[in-house]
Amino acid sequence: RPDLRRYWSVDDYSIEVPEGSTPLVIGSQEWWKIRESARWIVTNEWLKTQFVKRGFQTVLQTWHGSMYKRIGLDRSKKGGAHLVKARLERSNWDMFISQNADTTPIFARAYDFDEGIIESGYPRNDELVDPDPARVQAIRERLGVPEGTTVVMYAPTWGEEGQDVELLNVVELSDRLGPGFTFLQRGHVRTLDLGEVVTHDNVIDVSTYPQINDLYLAAQDPRIG
């Protein structure tokens, strides 16, 4: 539907948005105005209690990956208040995209979402299939990856109990492996304040890099395309 007016939430205007879209800085007056008046809202995270869906709005929840931890109502240890918030959040959603048959029942259980799950795969992953080598090279150059090195990305999620995570020491690992390897360390958005920016000849801190797909492509083995 290229005829529809499309807006894209961004942290700041340095972030590129898809062609034909209008960037909106999250929390700005215009962002609030558009979010309250848009007919369709697509999100991959909770809209939280600041959002109240209007009758003319349809919300598509795309989520943001596979569940290697508990989510939603499955996090019963968080207590009754969390379960109330999860159900309130779920009440805003009309449709839910699932990437495969393994995650569909998890979504259904974790958010009591029996109807409206669309098992379509993740469209945003399409660009990871058969990428343009020139684009991969451009991304590596933008990140500062030395020519001819093997790129390894480390991107941990956050822990179930609290926000603490046991981080792999990529600096020590890179020293043990020696030259020929470049590590990309990407901290989780919920754990960034727990760590420090990594500085090392063979480690690049990409925690604030906006596009995760670029990092996946940079870490792809060029021998297998």
Side-chain angles (χ1 to χ4, degrees), residues 81-225:
H82 166 78
L83 299 182
V84 170
K85 289 181 180 179
R87 290 189 180 279
L88 181 62
E89 177 64 32
R90 180 260 177 269
S91 68
N92 285 323
W93 306 338
D94 298 287
M95 294 180 290
F96 201 125
I97 285 184
S98 171
Q99 65 270 47
N100 55 55
D102 291 329
T103 57
T104 295
I106 299 176
F107 285 137
R109 181 188 66 243
Y111 283 112
D112 193 17
F113 213 100
D114 295 329
E115 298 182 2
I117 294 183
I118 305 168
E119 195 176 293
S120 63
Y122 274 174
R124 64 173 172 265
N125 289 344
D126 290 350
E127 67 176 350
L128 301 178
V129 180
D130 194 25
D132 180 2
R135 182 188 173 196
V136 175
Q137 180 62 28
I139 294 171
R140 288 189 172 203
E141 291 176 357
R142 186 185 311 146
L143 295 173
V145 175
E147 185 72 26
T149 62
T150 297
V151 178
V152 181
M153 183 167 70
Y154 175 57
T157 187
W158 52 278
E160 170 63 23
E161 300 298 335
Q163 301 300 324
D164 295 335
V165 290
E166 184 176 348
L167 296 177
L168 174 70
N169 190 329
V170 293
V171 171
E172 180 180 348
L173 181 57
S174 68
D175 286 339
R176 290 188 178 188
L177 288 177
F181 292 88
T182 297
F183 284 83
L184 304 180
Q185 174 157 311
R186 184 177 179 82
H188 192 277
V189 65
R190 297 192 182 186
T191 63
L192 290 181
D193 58 349
L194 299 177
E196 299 177 351
V197 176
V198 178
T199 55
H200 189 273
D201 290 342
N202 299 330
V203 179
I204 303 174
D205 195 311
V206 292
S207 297
T208 59
Y209 191 89
Q211 297 295 344
I212 188 68
N213 277 10
D214 284 1
L215 304 180
Y216 288 145
L217 292 174
Q220 187 177 52
D221 190 334
R223 295 170 297 178
I224 59 177

